[in-house]
Every structure is written in C-alpha cells, then in structure tokens.
Amino acid sequence: MRVAVIGAGPGGLYFAALAKQLFPHAEITLWERDAREDTSGFGVVFSDETLDGVAQADPVVFAAMSGEFARWSDIDVHVAGRLRTCGGHGFAALDRNRLRQILQQRCEQLAVDVRYRTPAPPVAQLAADHDLVVAADGVRSGTRAAYPDAFGTELDERHCRYMWLATDRVFEAFTFVVAEHDFGVLQVHAYPYSDRRSTFIVEIGEQAWRRAGFEALAARAPGHGESDWASVRRCEELLAEHLAGHRLIPNASRWIRFTTVRNAAWRHRNVVLLGDAAHTAHFSIGSGTKLALEDALALAAALREQPTVDEALACYEAERRPVVESTQRAAQASLEWFETIGRRSGEDVDRFAFDLLTRSRRVTYGSLRARDAGFVDAVDRAFGGSAGVPPMFRPLRLGRLTLRNRVVVPPMATFTAVDGLPSAFDRAQLGAQALGGAALVLAGMTAVSPEGRATPSCPGLWTDGQEAAWRELVATVRQVSDTPLGIQLTHAGRRAATAPPGPDGIGRPLTAAEGGWPTLAASALPWDTAGPVPRAATGAELAAVTAAFGQAAARAARAGFDVLELQFGHGHLLSGFLSPLTNRRTDDYGGPLTHRLRLPVEVLAAVRAAWPADRPLLVRISASDWAPGGTTEAEAVTICRTLGEAGADAVDVSTGEVVAHQRPPYGRGYQTPLAELIRRATGLPTIAVGAISTHDDVNSVLLAGRADLVAVGRAQLHDPLWTLHAAAEQGYSGPAAPWPPAWRAGSRRPPGPGADRVPPRLRLLREAAAPVHRRWLPAPPLTAPATR
C-alpha cells in the first residue's frame, strides 16, 4: 500500500506513525512545506480520554509525552477584580512544538519518509499514484480547495478578533480573565504548558477592538512569519495586572478571526481529510490538536479493520463525524457565549463564574458538584439557595401566583379532540402531569375559532360546550392536585387545516374532500411549494381574530385556568405577522417591526382586558426563524419588550417553525441562549424550552441565570412523574416536590439488581482521594553551586 500524507503537523505525523506500525511494509510518504525545525503555536491541552487512546495505540509516544506534561485541576476565573476558583477538572498540557518533535522522532524510528521543505505535488497526481491520500493540511486546506464540490466546505468566520500568544508567566491553573475597559471587554484564555511558559490567548469583540485602537495598530499588516508587535505591546499594557511583570511572547502572532470549518463529506475517492482540514472547534473548549490525534487513530484503525480503502474511509467518517459534530455543537455554544460576553457586564461574580464554566452545556450543575461541591455550594448560597435544595426546587413569584418550583410542562397537543372538545386522553394526560410535581402544567394548542385549528383533532374554546368541557376537566384535576393549570390559545394561520403529524412530525395539508378549509395568513404565502396558498387577512378578519382571542380568554378564566399563554410563535397566525419572512403586507400591519407588531399588541390588549389581572399571562414567541432575512436578535428583544409593556407577565422563548426552509442548530438546550438574551435585555421572566430533558440541565440553566423557568416537554411524555423522580434522584423531599399521598410509598428509587449485596473490603490500604484543587507548581530549575 502506498500512502501520501500532506502536512506534518501533529495529526499527519501521528497518523503516519500509527499506520506504519499497523502496516510495516507500506510505503508512507509525508510532505511538509516548512522546515523540520520551524515552530508553530504554543501549548496544547489534552483530555484524559484522548491520552488513554494514545497510551493504548503507541506507548512509546505516550511515555515521551507524559514526561513533559504540565498537570493541574483548577480553573481560575478573574472578573471585576475578584477571583473564583473551581477544582476537580483535570488537565494535561504540552508544548505543541515539543509534541511535534516527539512525533517526528517516532516517524524516524519507524522509517516513515518525511520530506520537509517540500510542498506536496498536486493532489490529483498523488491520488493517481497512491492508494490513499491523507490531507492534514490545515484550516486553509489546499486539498479541500481542489475538490470544492466533493467536500462541500462551509466556512463560518466568527465575529471576535483573537491573538495567540505565550507568556513567561507560568500560570498555576487554567485561567480566564475578563477585563472591562472603557472600550469594552478584553478576555484572556490562558494555561501553563511547561515549567517556563503558558499559552495566552487574547480575545476581543470587533467593535471593542476598533475602539481600543487595535485597528490602527494592525493597519500595517505583518509579513509572513512576523508578529504584530504594536498590538502585542498594547495587550501587555492593558493586561499588565494579570501578567504580573512578565512579558508576552509572540510567534507569527496577529489578530485573526476564528473560522469554524464544516464539510458535507470528508472523503473523495481515495482522498480523505484529517484534523483542521476536515473540521475545527473553537479554542475555548479544547485543542484542535486533540481532535486531529483522535482522527489519526480512528483512520489508522479503520484501515486495519476494513478490507478496502473505500470501506475504511467510510467507516472512519461514520465513526468520527458524530464525535466531531458533538464537539462542534459544544464549541459553538462556547464561542457564542464569549462573543456576547458584554451582555453579562455587572453580573454577580459567583453567577458569572458558574455561567462561564457551564457555557458549552457539556459541564453542568451536577458535574461541577461532583468535581467541586464547595464551589457549587458557594454559588447556590449567593443566590438564596439552602443546603439540599437544588435550583429547580426554589419558588418563583409569577405575577400574583407563586410557583412552588421552576419546572413547567409546556403545551403538548394530543390530537384526540372531536369537535374541539378535550378528550378523555386530554383529561388523563393533564391529570397525570398535574400529579407529576411540576410547578405549572399547560394544555396545548387550543384554537380560538374553528378555522384557527391546526388539525381537525385539535381542541378549541369558542363554544359554550367547549368551555363547559374544559371547566369539568379542570375541576376533575383539582380533586387530586393543586398544581396550577394553564391553557395555550392560538390561531394556526397558514399552518391550519392539516392532518395530525406523522412520524416525521409534519402534518400534510387537508383537501376540501378530507375536511380541510381555507386558511388565513398575514400574506398569501404558502408554507411550502406544495402547500395551499392562504388568504391574506382583511382588516375585518383581523378584527374578528382579535375578538375571538378576547372571548376565548374570558372562557378560559371562567373554566378555572390559573395561567394563560398566547401562541405568537411557530408560524401560527400571530407569528406570521411578526416575521419579515411571512409578512409582506404594505398596510399598517406590515413593513417595519412597529407595524408588524400591531396585530399581536391588539390581540394582547383584548386578552389582557378579558383575563383577570391577578392571573399570569404568558406569550410564546419564535425568537429566531433560523433562516436568512428572518427575525433578528434585536427584533426579538424589541418584540418581547413591547409585549411586556402591553401586559405580558413572562415570555416562553421558543424558535423556528416559521418557514419550511429553516435550518435550526438542533442540540441540547439550543434555544436557551435566546431566553437568556431576552431575560437580560428586557428584565422579563423567561421560560427556556427545547431539548431540555435532564434535571442537571434544568439546574444549570437556572443557576446560570439563563431563564427563570424551564419547560420540559418530551421527557414528561416519557415520564409524567419526571419532576418527582428528579427530586428523588437528587435526594430532595421538600415542599417543592410533593408526592401524592397515595403514591408516597414510591417516593424513593426502588432497589435494583444487586442492591442487597454488600461488597467486602479487598484493599489492605485505602487509596487517598484525589485532591479537589491541584495547581501547576513546577519545581524551580536547579542551579549549579557557585564556584570560587
């Protein structure tokens, strides 16, 4: 087998070494345009998981690396002149150039042909002459550029500027510095990687970068291999307090923007991408070198395990892509947190530190408690928590209603209604959820008129009979639970007259023969190219819709509901007026945002007049359309601020479902940053919703201050007693999670297999527990004794 490797960074070298061990007779040639002795970068950080893989795959490399690691377990957060430290994490870092030397030596031992100062031949030529071409040629991969259609590369250049530096100050821990200046926030990501050096990355938002004078300093672009010394000196001045008399050390350092690299495919025939050529992840959550080494191991293993190169490359991509995409989701959350760090100006230091540490959603309330319980206890105490009471079990005042905890069961349609009447299944579902311990249970997708139903199987609240049925349902639930009940009112607009959703979650439009009806919308735009064209609502029809909402709100109050929610999101009628993608009107209800807000404000005013003042009124919005030209963050803030001024007590912050061509960044808690944005910008209580299913995530959202309440949906369908079980799992048994008396015997987790077995002691001497706090405190270098 003949293998060509382009790029002698750590990823390319490590792959070549592993492949040569697995295939001793293979001809492996590695091309590198730079000299062997050229240096690049500073320190790299590894996880224990990655190091375990290196130890198993190549003990020789691992032994050489282990002898030079800087190791520590603490994270220091410096903000507003104060320090907060969290321990128990575990880090190992190494000089990137020393790592390259170790891998260079390993390739020499294994007789890999490494050609320095030699640009690789054209990739097409290599592909023709070799069985496999491995492109480890970095973020600006020439291999990728040679086959743009095959790889389908997406480059997302981000907003902040950053500069990669080192310092001769040896930090003792992973260190975050957030320094506020008159021009904005300057942040530092720093960590030690030897007994003499630390990596020191300076990051700053674009506008702050300009106001700080860096744009003028960087106007003279450094030549190849040169550093922007003027900016380096300016950083030394601004961060002198944190450098403590030490200097910054550049290496071809200049201001750049981070680019997230994604590829639709990682392979083209016998050419495969590895490391930064295939993907990048923001430096704030880890190292690109770490990902490249993991890629190298997976690719070498796939070549060994699969019978052909083609099958090996398919296996490699199938194995690595989910891992990388998970890392990129976490990295995206982290980089966006740092891009918007200015929003958190003035935040309490304890909450800020917790928020920073949990920003990627990989680190959570529970995992931090397991690592450093003292740190989490301090944050809990700072926000009124008491011992043994997780954040999710603290009360909240919403309007004049006190909720016993912070968990909401969101509106979830059952599609079981007949003639708009709630069904027996609706009664059973709401009853079970009311017994499940949540603070608030909302009945879902209740139409204010027959034509406002999303499907013929949706409930309504436009007749006396429906009002009576809801009143009976509420009374029945109240016999067994005092959990507050709410109902969501909506008009589905152009999303009306569909069949109940199938397995894909999408309901197809109904024809007239199937019982469909004409639909109403802000503008005559179909949901998709195959859907029916709705009718653009007239002024009279809008007045009728407004009146219908007010009448339905009055009926909901008489039925006994404690809370009302209005659906202004998800592409329903009111959402269609708010989004510029679906509202093309030229009258007073279309055009600028103030006009697009007119109908939602009129509906809210009608509802507020009909709904009792002492009962909370919520509004659900789609804070993003996830499509170009849709609702912006600034517009979402204005919408919520306006709705708050018009009488909304809280905002249920959802996103999407406004247009069919949306591209949401699905993932755990992916909508939560928008709930945080609106909460901070408007002061309104917010409900975070969407892909939140564990009590750990709920606690993290609340303690970080990202939302006031958390809606847990599908997990409640899986387990209607989700909140009570969450309390049992956390050892909480207080008033915020009351078990029904008839079920109290089940309030403890039942014993599982082997629960009655008591293991014997098998160690003569107990191992000491690892310290929570471990600092990098290298021994001072030995000096020779003085001679006379």
Side-chain angles (χ1 to χ4, degrees), residues 3-65:
V3 179
V5 182
I6 306 173
L13 289 165
Y14 188 48
F15 167 77
L18 293 178
K20 191 66 174 176
Q21 292 175 75
L22 294 175
F23 305 98
H25 300 295
E27 179 186 313
I28 301 176
T29 307
L30 195 157
W31 279 270
E32 171 55 52
R33 65 183 179 182
D34 292 333
R36 172 181 176 140
E37 63 275 9
D38 284 353
T39 60
S40 174
F42 301 103
V44 291
V45 181
F46 296 99
S47 66
D48 291 340
E49 183 179 53
T50 302
L51 292 178
D52 287 345
V54 174
Q56 187 276 333
D58 195 328
V60 174
V61 168
F62 179 74
M65 292 171 63

Coordinates of all heavy atoms in Angstrom, one line a residue, residues 3-65:
V3 N 0.9 5.3 0.6 CA 0.1 6.3 1.3 C 0.8 7.6 1.2 O 2.0 7.7 1.6 CB -0.2 5.9 2.8 CG1 -1.0 7.0 3.5 CG2 -0.9 4.6 2.9
A4 N 0.1 8.7 0.8 CA 0.6 10.0 0.8 C -0.1 10.8 1.9 O -1.3 10.8 2.0 CB 0.4 10.7 -0.5
V5 N 0.7 11.5 2.7 CA 0.2 12.4 3.8 C 0.7 13.8 3.5 O 1.9 14.1 3.3 CB 0.7 11.9 5.2 CG1 0.1 12.8 6.2 CG2 0.3 10.5 5.4
I6 N -0.3 14.7 3.5 CA 0.0 16.1 3.2 C -0.1 16.9 4.5 O -1.1 17.0 5.1 CB -1.0 16.7 2.2 CG1 -1.0 15.9 0.9 CG2 -0.6 18.2 1.9 CD1 -2.1 16.4 -0.1
G7 N 1.1 17.4 5.0 CA 1.1 18.2 6.2 C 1.7 17.4 7.4 O 1.2 16.4 7.8
A8 N 2.8 18.0 7.9 CA 3.5 17.3 9.0 C 3.2 18.0 10.4 O 4.1 18.2 11.2 CB 5.0 17.2 8.8
G9 N 2.0 18.4 10.6 CA 1.5 18.8 11.9 C 1.4 17.5 12.8 O 1.6 16.4 12.3
P10 N 1.0 17.7 14.0 CA 0.8 16.5 14.9 C -0.1 15.5 14.3 O 0.1 14.3 14.4 CB 0.3 17.1 16.2 CG 0.8 18.5 16.2 CD 0.8 19.0 14.8
G11 N -1.2 15.9 13.7 CA -2.2 14.9 13.2 C -1.6 14.1 12.0 O -1.7 12.8 12.0
G12 N -0.9 14.7 11.1 CA -0.3 14.0 10.0 C 0.8 13.1 10.5 O 0.9 11.9 10.0
L13 N 1.7 13.6 11.4 CA 2.8 12.7 11.9 C 2.2 11.5 12.7 O 2.7 10.4 12.5 CB 3.7 13.6 12.8 CG 4.5 14.7 12.1 CD1 5.1 15.7 13.1 CD2 5.7 14.0 11.3
Y14 N 1.2 11.8 13.5 CA 0.7 10.7 14.3 C 0.1 9.6 13.5 O 0.3 8.4 13.7 CB -0.3 11.3 15.4 CG -0.7 10.3 16.4 CD1 0.1 9.5 17.1 CD2 -2.1 10.2 16.7 CE1 -0.3 8.6 18.1 CE2 -2.6 9.3 17.7 CZ -1.7 8.5 18.4 OH -2.1 7.6 19.3
F15 N -0.7 10.0 12.4 CA -1.3 9.0 11.6 C -0.2 8.2 10.9 O -0.3 7.0 10.8 CB -2.2 9.7 10.5 CG -2.5 8.7 9.4 CD1 -3.5 7.8 9.6 CD2 -1.9 8.8 8.2 CE1 -3.8 6.8 8.6 CE2 -2.2 7.8 7.2 CZ -3.1 6.9 7.4
A16 N 0.8 8.9 10.4 CA 1.9 8.2 9.7 C 2.5 7.2 10.6 O 2.8 6.0 10.2 CB 2.9 9.2 9.1
A17 N 2.8 7.6 11.8 CA 3.4 6.6 12.8 C 2.5 5.4 13.1 O 3.0 4.3 13.1 CB 3.8 7.4 14.1
L18 N 1.3 5.7 13.3 CA 0.4 4.6 13.6 C 0.2 3.7 12.4 O 0.2 2.4 12.5 CB -1.0 5.1 14.0 CG -1.0 5.9 15.4 CD1 -2.5 6.4 15.6 CD2 -0.6 5.0 16.5
A19 N 0.0 4.3 11.2 CA -0.2 3.4 10.0 C 1.1 2.6 9.7 O 0.9 1.4 9.3 CB -0.5 4.3 8.8
K20 N 2.2 3.1 10.0 CA 3.5 2.4 9.7 C 3.6 1.2 10.7 O 4.1 0.1 10.3 CB 4.7 3.3 9.9 CG 6.0 2.7 9.4 CD 5.9 2.4 7.9 CE 7.3 1.9 7.3 NZ 7.3 1.6 5.9
Q21 N 3.1 1.4 11.9 CA 3.1 0.3 12.9 C 2.1 -0.8 12.5 O 2.4 -2.0 12.6 CB 2.8 0.8 14.3 CG 3.9 1.7 14.9 CD 3.5 2.3 16.2 OE1 3.5 1.6 17.2 NE2 3.1 3.5 16.2
L22 N 1.0 -0.4 12.0 CA 0.0 -1.4 11.6 C 0.3 -2.1 10.2 O -0.1 -3.2 10.0 CB -1.4 -0.7 11.5 CG -2.0 -0.2 12.8 CD1 -3.3 0.5 12.5 CD2 -2.2 -1.4 13.8
F23 N 1.0 -1.3 9.3 CA 1.3 -1.8 8.0 C 2.8 -1.6 7.8 O 3.2 -0.7 7.1 CB 0.5 -1.1 6.9 CG -1.0 -1.2 7.2 CD1 -1.6 -0.1 7.8 CD2 -1.7 -2.3 6.8 CE1 -3.0 -0.1 8.0 CE2 -3.1 -2.3 7.0 CZ -3.7 -1.3 7.6
P24 N 3.7 -2.4 8.4 CA 5.1 -2.2 8.3 C 5.7 -2.1 6.9 O 6.7 -1.4 6.6 CB 5.7 -3.4 9.1 CG 4.6 -3.9 9.9 CD 3.4 -3.6 9.2
H25 N 5.1 -2.8 6.0 CA 5.6 -2.8 4.6 C 5.0 -1.8 3.7 O 5.3 -1.7 2.5 CB 5.4 -4.2 4.0 CG 6.0 -5.3 4.7 ND1 7.4 -5.4 4.9 CD2 5.5 -6.3 5.5 CE1 7.7 -6.5 5.6 NE2 6.5 -7.0 6.0
A26 N 4.1 -0.9 4.3 CA 3.5 0.1 3.5 C 4.5 1.2 3.2 O 5.5 1.5 3.9 CB 2.3 0.7 4.2
E27 N 4.4 1.8 2.0 CA 5.2 3.0 1.6 C 4.5 4.3 2.0 O 3.5 4.6 1.4 CB 5.5 2.9 0.2 CG 6.4 4.1 -0.3 CD 6.5 4.1 -1.9 OE1 6.8 3.0 -2.4 OE2 6.3 5.2 -2.5
I28 N 4.9 4.9 3.1 CA 4.2 6.1 3.6 C 5.1 7.3 3.4 O 6.2 7.3 4.0 CB 3.8 5.9 5.1 CG1 2.9 4.7 5.2 CG2 3.1 7.2 5.6 CD1 2.5 4.4 6.7
T29 N 4.6 8.3 2.7 CA 5.4 9.5 2.4 C 4.6 10.7 2.9 O 3.4 10.8 2.6 CB 5.7 9.6 0.9 OG1 6.2 8.4 0.4 CG2 6.6 10.8 0.6
L30 N 5.3 11.5 3.6 CA 4.7 12.7 4.2 C 5.4 14.0 3.7 O 6.6 14.1 3.8 CB 4.8 12.6 5.8 CG 3.9 13.6 6.6 CD1 3.7 13.0 8.0 CD2 4.5 14.9 6.7
W31 N 4.6 14.9 3.1 CA 5.2 16.1 2.6 C 4.9 17.3 3.5 O 3.7 17.4 4.0 CB 4.5 16.4 1.2 CG 5.1 15.7 0.1 CD1 6.2 16.0 -0.7 CD2 4.7 14.4 -0.4 NE1 6.4 15.1 -1.7 CE2 5.5 14.1 -1.5 CE3 3.7 13.5 0.0 CZ2 5.4 12.9 -2.2 CZ3 3.6 12.3 -0.7 CH2 4.4 12.0 -1.8
E32 N 5.8 18.1 3.8 CA 5.7 19.3 4.6 C 6.5 20.5 4.0 O 7.7 20.4 3.8 CB 6.2 19.0 6.0 CG 6.3 20.2 6.9 CD 5.0 21.0 7.0 OE1 3.9 20.3 7.3 OE2 5.0 22.2 6.8
R33 N 5.8 21.6 3.7 CA 6.5 22.7 3.0 C 7.4 23.5 3.9 O 8.4 24.1 3.5 CB 5.4 23.6 2.5 CG 4.6 24.3 3.5 CD 3.5 25.2 2.9 NE 2.7 25.8 4.0 CZ 1.7 26.6 3.7 NH1 1.3 26.9 2.5 NH2 1.0 27.2 4.7
D34 N 7.2 23.4 5.3 CA 8.1 24.1 6.2 C 9.3 23.3 6.6 O 9.3 22.0 6.4 CB 7.3 24.6 7.4 CG 6.3 25.6 7.1 OD1 6.5 26.4 6.1 OD2 5.2 25.7 7.8
A35 N 10.2 23.9 7.2 CA 11.4 23.2 7.7 C 11.0 22.4 9.0 O 10.1 22.7 9.7 CB 12.5 24.2 8.0
R36 N 11.8 21.3 9.2 CA 11.6 20.5 10.4 C 11.7 21.3 11.7 O 10.9 21.1 12.6 CB 12.6 19.4 10.4 CG 12.6 18.5 11.7 CD 13.6 17.4 11.7 NE 13.5 16.8 13.0 CZ 13.7 15.5 13.2 NH1 13.8 14.7 12.1 NH2 13.6 15.0 14.4
E37 N 12.6 22.2 11.7 CA 12.8 23.0 13.0 C 11.9 24.2 13.1 O 11.9 24.8 14.2 CB 14.3 23.4 13.0 CG 14.7 24.4 12.0 CD 15.1 23.7 10.6 OE1 14.9 22.5 10.5 OE2 15.6 24.5 9.8
D38 N 11.1 24.5 12.1 CA 10.2 25.6 12.3 C 9.2 25.4 13.4 O 8.7 24.3 13.6 CB 9.4 25.8 11.0 CG 10.2 26.5 9.9 OD1 11.4 26.9 10.2 OD2 9.7 26.6 8.7
T39 N 8.9 26.5 14.1 CA 8.0 26.4 15.3 C 6.7 27.0 14.9 O 6.6 27.9 14.1 CB 8.6 27.1 16.5 OG1 8.8 28.4 16.2 CG2 9.9 26.4 16.9
S40 N 5.6 26.5 15.6 CA 4.3 27.0 15.3 C 3.4 26.8 16.5 O 3.3 25.6 17.0 CB 3.7 26.3 14.1 OG 2.3 26.6 13.9
G41 N 2.8 27.8 17.0 CA 1.9 27.7 18.1 C 2.6 27.6 19.5 O 3.8 27.7 19.5
F42 N 1.9 27.3 20.5 CA 2.4 27.2 21.8 C 2.0 25.9 22.5 O 2.4 24.9 22.1 CB 2.0 28.5 22.6 CG 2.4 29.7 21.9 CD1 1.5 30.5 21.2 CD2 3.8 30.2 22.0 CE1 1.9 31.7 20.5 CE2 4.2 31.3 21.3 CZ 3.3 32.1 20.6
G43 N 1.1 26.0 23.5 CA 0.7 24.8 24.2 C -0.5 24.2 23.7 O -1.3 24.8 23.0
V44 N -0.7 22.9 23.9 CA -1.9 22.2 23.6 C -2.4 21.4 24.8 O -1.6 21.0 25.6 CB -1.8 21.2 22.4 CG1 -1.5 22.0 21.1 CG2 -0.6 20.2 22.6
V45 N -3.7 21.3 25.0 CA -4.3 20.7 26.1 C -5.0 19.4 25.7 O -5.6 19.3 24.6 CB -5.4 21.6 26.8 CG1 -6.0 20.9 28.0 CG2 -4.8 22.9 27.2
F46 N -4.8 18.4 26.5 CA -5.4 17.1 26.2 C -6.4 16.6 27.3 O -6.2 16.9 28.5 CB -4.3 16.0 26.1 CG -3.4 16.2 24.9 CD1 -2.2 16.8 25.1 CD2 -3.8 15.9 23.7 CE1 -1.3 17.1 24.1 CE2 -2.9 16.1 22.6 CZ -1.7 16.7 22.8
S47 N -7.4 15.9 26.9 CA -8.3 15.3 27.9 C -7.7 13.9 28.3 O -6.9 13.3 27.6 CB -9.7 15.1 27.3 OG -9.6 14.1 26.3
D48 N -8.1 13.4 29.5 CA -7.7 12.0 29.9 C -8.1 11.0 28.8 O -7.4 10.0 28.6 CB -8.3 11.7 31.2 CG -7.7 12.5 32.4 OD1 -6.6 13.1 32.1 OD2 -8.3 12.7 33.4
E49 N -9.3 11.2 28.2 CA -9.8 10.3 27.3 C -8.9 10.2 26.1 O -8.6 9.0 25.6 CB -11.2 10.8 26.8 CG -11.9 9.9 25.8 CD -13.3 10.4 25.5 OE1 -13.4 11.6 25.0 OE2 -14.3 9.7 25.6
T50 N -8.4 11.3 25.5 CA -7.5 11.3 24.4 C -6.2 10.6 24.8 O -5.6 9.8 24.0 CB -7.3 12.7 23.9 OG1 -8.5 13.3 23.5 CG2 -6.4 12.7 22.7
L51 N -5.7 11.0 26.0 CA -4.4 10.4 26.4 C -4.5 8.9 26.6 O -3.5 8.2 26.3 CB -4.0 11.1 27.7 CG -3.6 12.6 27.5 CD1 -3.2 13.2 28.9 CD2 -2.5 12.7 26.5
D52 N -5.6 8.4 27.1 CA -5.8 6.9 27.2 C -5.7 6.3 25.8 O -5.1 5.2 25.7 CB -7.2 6.6 27.8 CG -7.2 7.0 29.3 OD1 -6.2 7.2 29.9 OD2 -8.4 7.0 29.9
G53 N -6.3 6.9 24.8 CA -6.2 6.4 23.4 C -4.7 6.4 23.0 O -4.3 5.4 22.3
V54 N -4.0 7.4 23.2 CA -2.6 7.5 22.8 C -1.8 6.4 23.6 O -0.9 5.7 23.0 CB -2.0 8.9 23.1 CG1 -0.5 8.9 22.8 CG2 -2.7 9.9 22.3
A55 N -2.0 6.2 24.8 CA -1.3 5.2 25.6 C -1.5 3.8 25.1 O -0.6 3.0 25.0 CB -1.8 5.3 27.1
Q56 N -2.7 3.5 24.6 CA -3.0 2.2 24.1 C -2.5 2.0 22.7 O -2.0 1.0 22.3 CB -4.6 2.0 24.1 CG -5.0 0.6 23.7 CD -5.1 0.4 22.2 OE1 -5.3 1.3 21.5 NE2 -4.9 -0.9 21.8
A57 N -2.5 3.1 21.9 CA -2.1 3.0 20.5 C -0.6 3.0 20.3 O -0.1 2.3 19.5 CB -2.8 4.1 19.7
D58 N 0.1 3.8 21.1 CA 1.5 4.0 20.9 C 2.2 4.3 22.3 O 2.4 5.5 22.6 CB 1.8 5.0 19.9 CG 3.3 5.0 19.4 OD1 4.2 4.6 20.2 OD2 3.5 5.3 18.2
P59 N 2.5 3.3 23.1 CA 3.1 3.5 24.4 C 4.4 4.3 24.3 O 4.7 5.1 25.3 CB 3.3 2.1 24.9 CG 2.3 1.3 24.2 CD 2.2 1.9 22.8
V60 N 5.1 4.2 23.2 CA 6.4 5.0 23.1 C 6.1 6.5 23.1 O 6.7 7.3 23.8 CB 7.1 4.5 21.9 CG1 8.4 5.4 21.7 CG2 7.5 3.0 22.0
V61 N 5.1 6.9 22.2 CA 4.8 8.3 22.1 C 4.2 8.8 23.5 O 4.5 9.8 24.0 CB 3.8 8.5 21.0 CG1 3.2 9.9 21.1 CG2 4.5 8.3 19.6
F62 N 3.3 8.0 24.1 CA 2.7 8.4 25.3 C 3.8 8.6 26.4 O 3.7 9.5 27.2 CB 1.7 7.3 25.8 CG 1.0 7.6 27.1 CD1 0.1 8.6 27.1 CD2 1.4 7.0 28.2 CE1 -0.6 9.0 28.3 CE2 0.8 7.3 29.4 CZ -0.2 8.3 29.5
A63 N 4.7 7.7 26.5 CA 5.8 7.8 27.5 C 6.6 9.1 27.3 O 6.9 9.8 28.3 CB 6.7 6.6 27.5
A64 N 6.9 9.4 26.1 CA 7.6 10.6 25.8 C 6.8 11.9 26.2 O 7.3 12.8 26.7 CB 8.1 10.7 24.4
M65 N 5.5 11.8 25.9 CA 4.6 13.0 26.2 C 4.5 13.1 27.7 O 4.5 14.2 28.2 CB 3.3 12.8 25.5 CG 3.3 12.9 24.0 SD 1.6 12.4 23.3 CE 0.6 13.6 24.0

